[in-house]
Amino acid sequence: MNGITMQTAMAASTLSSLTLAVLTRGRARLLAGTAGLPALASFLTTRFGNVPVNGRIKEWALTSAPVDHAEMLRRWELFNNLRTLTALTAFALLIILVLKQPSADHAAPPKQPPTTTA
């Protein structure tokens, strides 16, 4: 029921991670870019793994489950575990990125030019 919404959210997650990688520098760029990779893997696993199996399962409502339905469900669960792991990895990397950024309150004050006494 939520296939379009889920895939849109996953694509937005991937694009936002990669956009953040473009807009940042140094370690933040590396973390954001690295987070984009498992986010993309999660999206692709959903799109090409879970979605086709979901389509077959929907057909069972009109007919009956095929003989190999247990194998199909096992494969769906494998894809689901993979996408969950990759999504959590991307999320954890973004959390690390946020926690490692210096806040405005803790940022070093700007250096003052040396004063001369005459």
Side-chain angles (χ1 to χ4, degrees):
M1 301 303 276
N2 64 356
I4 301 284
T5 305
M6 185 73 160
Q7 291 181 65
T8 302
M10 294 172 101
S13 173
T14 302
L15 291 175
S16 62
S17 294
L18 296 176
T19 300
L20 185 60
V22 169
L23 297 175
T24 56
R25 301 274 183 257
R27 176 170 239 176
R29 173 177 278 178
L30 179 65
L31 282 171
T34 303
L37 296 176
L40 177 62
S42 184
F43 172 74
L44 293 174
T45 300
T46 299
R47 181 66 190 100
F48 297 109
N50 291 95
V51 171
V53 176
N54 287 344
R56 290 187 194 139
I57 291 172
K58 285 179 186 178
E59 293 172 5
W60 301 352
L62 302 175
T63 61
S64 63
V67 175
D68 67 339
H69 74 279
E71 174 60 27
M72 239 186 269
L73 292 174
R74 187 196 65 75
R75 191 172 34 175
W76 185 92
E77 189 171 350
L78 176 69
F79 287 133
N80 189 57
N81 290 340
L82 180 62
R83 75 175 171 177
T84 300
L85 180 64
T86 54
L88 285 174
T89 300
F91 184 64
L93 287 168
L94 291 173
I95 294 297
I96 290 168
L97 180 129
V98 169
L99 293 177
K100 294 288 183 181
Q101 292 300 307
S103 67
D105 296 337
H106 297 122
K111 292 187 177 187
Q112 298 292 327
T115 58
T116 58
T117 55

